[in-house]
Amino acid sequence: MVNKGPRIIEVDQRSDGQRLDNFLLRELKALHQSVPKSLIYRIIRKGEVRVNKKRANAHTRLQLHDQIRVPP
């Protein structure tokens, strides 16, 4: 069964202080073989990626235990 809802990813110790765009590149690459950078930047720019239920930009620095909402 495929999950069609958004995924919630919690920032762990190794991702503390990392930029949102780089975090998503690494996390989504682990799930899928290849995710274009342009897709990552597009979903961030459109506001589909949320950090702690708020819109964020690609340069947002993540903190330990932040909740990242990623669209399906």
Side-chain angles (χ1 to χ4, degrees):
M1 184 174 200
V2 177
N3 183 2
K4 297 199 184 246
R7 288 179 19 110
I8 305 296
I9 305 171
E10 185 169 326
V11 176
D12 58 8
Q13 186 72 31
R14 76 178 177 148
S15 300
D16 188 25
Q18 190 173 26
R19 283 181 20 175
L20 177 60
D21 56 348
N22 294 328
F23 173 79
L24 289 175
L25 283 168
R26 189 185 75 229
E27 290 294 318
L28 296 179
K29 187 177 249 185
L31 295 175
H32 309 290
Q33 290 301 323
S34 64
V35 177
K37 284 185 179 183
S38 60
L39 176 63
I40 300 291
Y41 287 105
R42 187 176 340 133
I43 63 175
I44 292 172
R45 201 171 43 249
K46 288 173 65 177
E48 295 180 27
V49 174
R50 302 288 178 122
V51 177
N52 298 326
K53 299 184 181 180
K54 298 177 186 166
R55 289 180 79 151
N57 64 39
H59 303 294
T60 299
R61 294 283 176 178
L62 301 175
Q63 296 180 355
L64 190 61
H65 303 299
D66 277 351
Q67 301 286 318
I68 313 300
R69 179 192 174 276
V70 182

